[in-house]
């Protein structure tokens, strides 16, 4: 089983940046699809980005493309989400997630309820 722990959230002004981290225990990311989704109060879960463990496939939701970057460390135990040019609409709890089956580059971003494992989330609040 995979355990995921996110960190790095916080309060930032519009236009600012944050870097989220997600540490995995139990299994390294190289065997999984990894990604991020977010959920704002009263709203549905929204896919943000995903990456195959070996880094060959990366996908971003249109709402974050060009502003967010997903990456991982060399040991494939930590995944990051660099978030730049943050806007108030980016305010949400951000979750790191993994899945075991690859379908296509955007499968889990468009189906954020199909991730297999996810962490407890980290709050990101962007003030205007």
């Amino acid at each position: 089983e995979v355990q995921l722990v996110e960190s790095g959230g916080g309060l930032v002004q519009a236009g600012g940046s944050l870097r989220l981290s997600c540490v995995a225990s139990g299994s390294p990311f190289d065997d999984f699809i990894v990604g991020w989704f977010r959920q704002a109060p009263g709203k549905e879960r929204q896919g943000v980005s995903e990456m195959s463990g070996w880094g060959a496939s990366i996908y971003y939701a249109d709402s974050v493309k060009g502003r967010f970057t997903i990456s991982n460390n060399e040991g494939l135990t930590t995944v990051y989400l660099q978030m730049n040019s943050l806007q108030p609409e980016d305010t949400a709890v951000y979750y790191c997630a993994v899945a075991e089956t690859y379908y296509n580059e955007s499968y889990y971003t468009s189906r954020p309820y199909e991730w297999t494992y996810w962490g407890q989330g980290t709050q990101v609040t962007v003030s205007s």
Side-chain angles (χ1 to χ4, degrees):
E1 183 167 332
V2 178
Q3 293 84 42
L4 304 168
V5 178
E6 304 96 335
S7 62
L11 173 64
V12 64
Q13 288 188 331
S17 298
L18 285 173
R19 189 195 197 200
L20 306 183
S21 298
C22 174
V23 177
S25 61
S27 294
F29 285 130
D30 60 343
D31 293 331
F32 296 92
I33 298 87
V34 302
W36 296 86
F37 65 86
R38 64 189 183 186
Q39 191 162 22
K43 294 190 175 181
E44 292 291 321
R45 191 180 288 186
Q46 181 185 30
V48 173
S49 180
E50 65 188 89
M51 177 176 67
S52 62
W54 53 95
S57 175
I58 294 177
Y59 184 83
Y60 299 98
D62 287 343
S63 58
V64 306
K65 197 174 297 181
R67 301 187 298 124
F68 290 12
T69 303
I70 188 172
S71 62
N72 56 258
N73 67 336
E74 284 193 14
L76 297 176
T77 57
T78 305
V79 64
Y80 305 100
L81 186 69
Q82 177 66 43
M83 306 186 296
N84 299 329
S85 302
L86 284 162
Q87 299 300 316
E89 52 265 34
D90 295 316
T91 295
V93 178
Y94 283 71
Y95 298 86
C96 171
V98 300
E100 297 175 307
T101 304
Y102 180 83
Y103 296 98
N104 60 58
E105 66 171 6
S106 63
Y107 185 88
Y108 295 100
T109 301
S110 57
R111 299 168 181 82
Y113 290 92
E114 294 198 21
W115 290 103
T116 306
Y117 304 103
W118 53 90
Q120 83 290 345
T122 185
Q123 175 70 48
V124 171
T125 303
V126 185
S127 62
S128 57

